[in-house]
Amino acid sequence: MKRICCWLLCAVLCLSVAACKKNEDTPENKLFYCYLSADPVSLDPQVASDDAAKMVLESLFEGLVRLNGDGLAEPGVAEKWESDADSTVFTFYLRRDAEWSDGSPVTADDFVFAMQRAVDPQTRSTLASQLFCILNAEEIHAGAMEKEQLGVEALDSYTLRITLAYSYDDFPSQTARSVFFPCSRSFFESTGGKYGMEGSQVLGNGAFALRKKSGWIHNSYLRLVRNEFYAGEHAAVPSGVLFTVKTVADPLAAMEEYKADVIAIGEDDVQQAEESGLAVKSFTDTTWGLCFNTADELFSNVSVRRALMLSLSRNSLYEALPNNCTRADNMIPPETSYMGKSYRSAAGSCALPQTDLAAARQALSQALVDLGRNKLPAVTVLCRDDEETKIAVNTMLGEWRSALGYYFNLEAVSQETLEKRVAAGTYQLALVPVRAGEDGPQSFLSAVCSLAQYRSEEYDALALRLYSDTVAAAKEAETLLLNEAVFYPMYYQNQYYAMANTVTGLVIHPFGGIIDFNGAGKLNPS
């Protein structure tokens, strides 16, 4: 009888301990909630360029390498890699346990096929230029060569060799971009031209996969679960991620109601978020400045651009500095890094043009001679329709009126219209924010040149050097754009994200705003 009682007592104690462990709150195996402002246009990595798609693709796919929280390349599908002496040939050695979310193996051919698709002109990918560093990529995209001539070769099922068009020591980190993600040739062909358009037409190799049933309900949500076939170093800590497609009017309310674990917030929400006990992450990744449309008939003349730039007083502009912004001392923002280190610290400061009224008036006189005019035609400055921005622009208009004797016009529009007009080139000059889609000085400089529609032989030569002599060439390019009066930096702006203070291991990449949920954990709200 005593023996039976002891057995029962032990059984009760074991059950009690098990119950306590079951009720213990741990960061693992939690569902994470995140909002997308729009439904992904497509989940085809070689084509998708919208922010919503890039956010989801980060969880569904894994490239040759991944970027850690410091922006450094670490093993992804490739467990190691090596390059030749001049960094023009890279060899990647793939994990033999890498599998697609259907259990089939990920091979070197999947990467060859993906990159050939991206540069194939029939694909019409707007991301193709990201692969132009690869041998023959630009020629293939232009239709001058066949896609099979791309400098990408599968030496065997698990060894990939990539030959570049020029030396590029940081090339491995570029393969973390979505356009480099693998694509299963057999699965792609089975979709009948609908690859990436529906949940059933997506096959990933990342730590997460779309839920098989109702994984993607367009314009409503995307439900991700753990990929049971993922065997890499970055296995998912959460049980899944729920992306809700919705424009959030009050991001802090969404956090308080536990409908989001991480969310982008505006500058005006930062103080309230911190007072509410939320953790706030910020990145100084945006430079606001005066952008000249160099394709415009008037502003294609560098003397006109210089006249306007040299007649501005930075002290006056700083007095009109918008709230929560800081004065820009350089063109490329402080958050920009290169190979995991601060670009600005490595390059040093880049001197901004100083006010010189005599030189400004002389440049204007020369411009009128060049243009065969007696006076300047009408000029309109495009800007965002808010009081602080309009004050800043009116300050510039006053400076130009005083220094050059001309009255220019102001046109205030919504942020969306501003971005569309500048991107389309339907403006003369505009006060705009510039934020690169990827980290690195190359991306920021490319964004400036794209908005300003600027090209020159001197800049093109520097652009080639950006990949082999990045820091020095980037500083020279930055100086050139300032001297050519292409973009006049005025102030920096931060991007902010709020998350619960119980969230751990979540990585937010600046510039692209992509969130890596793989290692994220959280405790239940108390």
Side-chain angles (χ1 to χ4, degrees):
M1 184 66 180
K2 289 182 178 179
R3 185 174 297 174
I4 294 175
C5 289
C6 289
W7 183 87
L8 289 172
L9 179 60
C10 288
V12 170
L13 288 172
C14 288
L15 289 173
S16 298
V17 170
C20 288
K21 288 185 177 179
K22 185 176 181 180
N23 293 329
E24 183 181 351
D25 187 21
T26 60
E28 301 83 11
N29 304 313
K30 302 292 175 60
L31 178 64
F32 270 74
Y33 299 87
C34 185
Y35 282 102
L36 300 175
S37 60
D39 196 45
V41 177
S42 164
L43 290 179
D44 176 350
Q46 278 67 59
V47 173
S49 60
D50 56 293
D51 291 342
K54 289 192 289 185
M55 178 78 81
V56 179
L57 290 171
E58 178 73 11
S59 296
L60 293 179
F61 287 82
E62 183 172 72
L64 292 167
V65 309
R66 299 177 59 85
L67 297 183
N68 61 21
D70 295 321
L72 293 172
E74 57 185 22
V77 176
E79 58 186 1
K80 61 179 181 178
W81 55 89
E82 61 189 20
S83 70
D84 62 355
D86 61 355
S87 298
T88 57
V89 179
F90 288 81
T91 304
F92 296 86
Y93 301 92
L94 278 55
R95 290 188 289 108
R96 293 178 179 269
D97 59 357
E99 295 182 343
W100 293 101
S101 56
D102 64 356
S104 58
V106 177
T107 67
D109 181 66
D110 295 325
F111 287 94
V112 172
F113 180 64
M115 294 182 214
Q116 289 178 346
R117 276 193 64 230
V119 299
D120 187 342
Q122 294 186 4
T123 303
R124 298 181 180 180
S125 172
T126 59
L127 305 176
S129 62
Q130 295 181 16
L131 284 83
F132 285 179
C133 55
I134 300 177
L135 184 67
N136 299 332
E138 193 166 3
E139 292 80 0
I140 294 167
H141 190 255
M145 300 178 74
E146 298 298 320
K147 63 179 183 289
E148 290 76 14
Q149 294 176 274
L150 184 67
V152 182
E153 180 183 2
L155 302 182
D156 57 45
S157 295
Y158 299 101
T159 309
L160 179 72
R161 183 168 65 196
I162 301 179
T163 303
L164 305 184
Y166 44 78
S167 178
Y168 190 2
D169 55 0
D170 194 35
F171 173 71
S173 68
Q174 303 309 301
T175 67
R177 295 179 174 185
S178 60
V179 71
F180 287 89
F181 288 167
C183 179
S184 167
R185 188 188 302 264
S186 59
F187 181 82
F188 174 82
E189 293 173 348
S190 74
T191 63
K194 296 182 180 179
Y195 180 65
M197 302 306 294
E198 301 290 341
S200 61
Q201 311 298 336
V202 176
L203 182 67
N205 70 317
F208 295 94
L210 283 167
R211 188 172 62 184
K212 291 182 179 179
K213 184 178 181 181
S214 303
W216 183 7
I217 304 300
H218 286 287
N219 298 304
S220 183
Y221 67 83
L222 296 95
R223 178 69 163 84
L224 276 56
V225 297
R226 283 196 185 115
N227 176 6
E228 60 180 304
F229 295 102
Y230 181 81
E233 298 180 5
H234 306 280
V237 173
S239 62
V241 182
L242 176 62
F243 291 104
T244 301
V245 180
K246 181 181 179 181
T247 300
V248 181
D250 189 344
L252 295 184
M255 292 288 295
E256 292 173 0
E257 296 168 5
Y258 308 114
K259 294 180 179 179
D261 291 300
V262 57
I263 197 166
I265 61 174
E267 298 160 350
D268 296 337
D269 295 323
V270 172
Q271 183 176 348
Q272 182 182 344
E274 292 175 338
E275 291 174 350
S276 299
L278 298 174
V280 177
K281 181 80 171 177
S282 67
F283 302 101
T284 308
D285 60 1
T286 303
T287 302
W288 279 80
L290 190 64
C291 187
F292 295 86
N293 182 358
T294 63
D296 178 78
E297 181 180 0
L298 177 62
F299 289 104
S300 63
N301 186 291
V302 64
S303 294
V304 174
R305 304 196 303 265
R306 285 175 178 160
L308 269 59
M309 184 180 287
L310 293 173
S311 57
L312 290 175
S313 166
R314 294 194 71 80
N315 289 334
S316 297
L317 295 178
Y318 289 148
E319 290 178 3
L321 196 70
N323 290 329
N324 301 313
C325 291
T326 56
R327 55 191 295 168
D329 299 318
N330 295 279
M331 181 183 295
I332 297 177
E335 203 71 42
T336 306
S337 65
Y338 172 67
M339 297 190 76
K341 298 180 180 179
S342 167
Y343 161 73
R344 195 79 271 160
S345 296
S349 185
C350 192
L352 298 178
Q354 299 299 308
T355 306
D356 189 334
L357 298 184
R361 292 168 185 144
Q362 183 178 357
L364 181 58
S365 297
Q366 182 60 52
L368 292 175
V369 172
D370 295 341
L371 296 168
R373 289 177 172 274
N374 294 320
K375 63 179 181 178
L376 291 180
V379 172
T380 299
V381 183
L382 194 66
C383 72
R384 189 172 65 183
D385 189 10
D386 67 75
E387 289 307 312
E388 290 186 329
T389 302
K390 288 188 288 187
I391 288 173
V393 173
N394 276 315
T395 299
M396 288 190 287
L397 297 182
E399 296 272 325
W400 290 325
R401 183 169 60 249
S402 174
L404 304 175
Y406 282 93
Y407 288 80
F408 296 155
N409 302 312
L410 178 155
E411 182 182 359
V413 296
S414 67
Q415 179 70 27
E416 181 181 4
T417 300
L418 176 66
E419 292 175 358
K420 288 182 177 179
R421 293 258 314 260
V422 173
T426 55
Y427 76 103
Q428 290 182 293
L429 65 162
L431 179 58
V432 295
V434 179
R435 180 164 65 105
E438 306 280 349
D439 193 7
Q442 306 101 314
S443 296
F444 188 89
L445 293 169
S446 177
V448 169
C449 291
S450 177
L451 295 177
Q453 301 192 56
Y454 176 76
R455 290 291 299 272
S456 74
E457 291 183 3
E458 187 177 0
Y459 181 82
D460 289 346
L462 285 170
L464 289 176
R465 281 183 50 211
L466 282 173
Y467 300 97
S468 58
D469 188 19
T470 300
V471 173
K475 187 174 182 181
E476 288 182 47
E478 193 176 6
T479 302
L480 174 64
L481 295 179
L482 289 170
N483 291 340
E484 289 286 293
V486 174
F487 181 80
Y488 183 66
M490 293 173 57
Y491 48 88
Y492 298 133
Q493 183 182 35
N494 285 1
Q495 298 292 321
Y496 298 94
Y497 295 85
M499 66 185 80
N501 56 19
T502 57
V503 170
T504 59
L506 187 146
V507 176
I508 303 173
H509 294 290
F511 300 97
I514 294 174
I515 300 174
D516 184 346
F517 289 95
N518 285 25
K522 65 176 179 178
L523 299 174
N524 292 322
S526 56

